[in-house]
C-alpha cells in the first residue's frame, strides 16, 4: 500500500518537473524570437538612418556643386569697339554659357559685327560669329520674344544680342543678359566702324 502511494507521489513529481521544463523551453524560445526580432528591427533602423545620411550628403554635394558652377560663371566684360566702356554680361547657368565662359577665360574674344543677312532686323539686334575651332554645346529652344539686353547663342557658333525688344521665332539658347540702360543701348548703336576693317567689333573678356 505504501509502495503504491510512493509511486503515485513520484509520478506526480516527475510530471510536474517535465511540465516545468516544457514551459521553460517555450519561454526561452519566445525570448530568442523576441531577441531576434529586436535585432532585426535595430539593423533595419540603422540601415535606414545610414541611407538617409548618405542621401542628405549627396544632396548637399549636388547643391554645393550647383552653387560652385553658378559662382564660377559670374559675369563677362564686354566692350563695343576698341575704346568702348565695359559692360557686364550676366551669364546664364547652362552648358552653353559655361563653354563660352571657359573659352573666354583662356583667350579674350575680339569678334567682328556683321550686317549681311537681308532677313535680319538690325535696328533691334546684331550678331557675332565665333571661330569654328571653338566647340560649343547647345540644346536650343524656340524663342518668341526677346527683351533689350538679352543675349542668345545660335547654332553654329553665333552670339546674338538684342538691344531693343522684339518679337521673334528662332531656335536659341539664352546665354546671358545685359542691363539695358540708356548708356548700354547708346554704346551698341554708336559703336564705330573699325578703320581698315569695314566692320564694327566687340570685345569679350574676363573682368
Amino acid at each position: 500500500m505504501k509502495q503504491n502511494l510512493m509511486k503515485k507521489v513520484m509520478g506526480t513529481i516527475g510530471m510536474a518537473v517535465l511540465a516545468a521544463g516544457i514551459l521553460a523551453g517555450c519561454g526561452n524560445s519566445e525570448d530568442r524570437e523576441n531577441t531576434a526580432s529586436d535585432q532585426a528591427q535595430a539593423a533595419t533602423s540603422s540601415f535606414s538612418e545610414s541611407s538617409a545620411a548618405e542621401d542628405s550628403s549627396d544632396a548637399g554635394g549636388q547643391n554645393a556643386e550647383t552653387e560652385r558652377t553658378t559662382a564660377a560663371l559670374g559675369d563677362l566684360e564686354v566692350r563695343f569697339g576698341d575704346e568702348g566702356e565695359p559692360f557686364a554680361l550676366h551669364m546664364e547657368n547652362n552648358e552653353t554659357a559655361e563653354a563660352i565662359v571657359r573659352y573666354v577665360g583662356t583667350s579674350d574674344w575680339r569678334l567682328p559685327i556683321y550686317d549681311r543677312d537681308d532677313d535680319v532686323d538690325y535696328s533691334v539686334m546684331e550678331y557675332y560669329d565665333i571661330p569654328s575651332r571653338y566647340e560649343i554645346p547647345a540644346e536650343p529652344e524656340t524663342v518668341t520674344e526677346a527683351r533689350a539686353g538679352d543675349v542668345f547663342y545660335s547654332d553654329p557658333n553665333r552670339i546674338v544680342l538684342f538691344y531693343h525688344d522684339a518679337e521673334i521665332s528662332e531656335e536659341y539658347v539664352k546665354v546671358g543678359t545685359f542691363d539695358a540702360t540708356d548708356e548700354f543701348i547708346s554704346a551698341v548703336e554708336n559703336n564705330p566702324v573699325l578703320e581698315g576693317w569695314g566692320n564694327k567689333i566687340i570685345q569679350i573678356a574676363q573682368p
Side-chain angles (χ1 to χ4, degrees):
M1 184 74 174
K2 290 182 180 180
Q3 290 179 351
N4 290 338
L5 181 59
M6 287 297 293
K7 287 180 180 180
K8 288 181 180 182
V9 171
M10 292 301 293
T12 300
I13 292 173
M15 291 179 65
V17 171
L18 179 61
I22 293 173
L23 290 174
C26 290
N28 291 337
S29 176
E30 290 177 358
D31 290 342
R32 285 194 296 271
E33 290 176 358
N34 290 336
T35 300
S37 177
D38 291 342
Q39 290 174 345
Q41 289 177 357
T44 301
S45 176
S46 176
F47 176 78
S48 298
E49 291 173 359
S50 176
S51 298
E54 290 177 1
D55 290 344
S56 176
S57 176
D58 291 343
Q62 291 173 357
N63 291 338
E65 182 63 28
T66 299
E67 290 173 0
R68 284 195 298 272
T69 301
T70 303
L73 292 183
D75 295 343
L76 292 180
E77 185 178 87
V78 179
R79 298 174 185 267
F80 298 91
D82 282 337
E83 305 300 327
E85 292 296 320
F87 292 91
L89 173 56
H90 313 300
M91 300 302 291
E92 295 287 308
N93 185 20
N94 58 53
E95 63 176 357
T96 305
E98 186 178 355
I100 292 172
V101 170
R102 183 171 64 251
Y103 287 132
V104 171
T106 61
S107 177
D108 294 350
W109 285 356
R110 191 168 183 266
L111 307 176
I113 300 172
Y114 296 104
D115 57 2
R116 48 193 190 198
D117 290 1
D118 295 334
D119 59 344
V120 172
D121 183 0
Y122 292 104
S123 66
V124 298
M125 59 82 71
E126 61 186 28
Y127 68 85
Y128 330 108
D129 286 341
I130 303 168
S132 59
R133 66 178 178 273
Y134 295 108
E135 296 183 2
I136 300 177
E139 294 185 7
E141 298 178 349
T142 301
V143 178
T144 59
E145 184 179 45
R147 296 292 185 184
D150 285 347
V151 180
F152 299 96
Y153 174 81
S154 176
D155 192 42
N157 285 42
R158 176 171 290 181
I159 293 176
V160 181
L161 163 65
F162 284 85
Y163 54 95
H164 290 295
D165 296 348
E167 293 183 1
I168 58 177
S169 181
E170 301 290 346
E171 295 295 311
Y172 287 154
V173 178
K174 188 173 182 180
V175 294
T177 308
F178 288 101
D179 295 329
T181 62
D182 291 341
E183 291 78 10
F184 166 77
I185 295 172
S186 176
V188 176
E189 293 178 333
N190 297 315
N191 186 1
V193 174
L194 188 64
E195 185 176 353
W197 274 44
N199 289 104
K200 302 175 181 182
I201 63 111
I202 183 175
Q203 298 184 76
I204 306 176
Q206 293 279 4

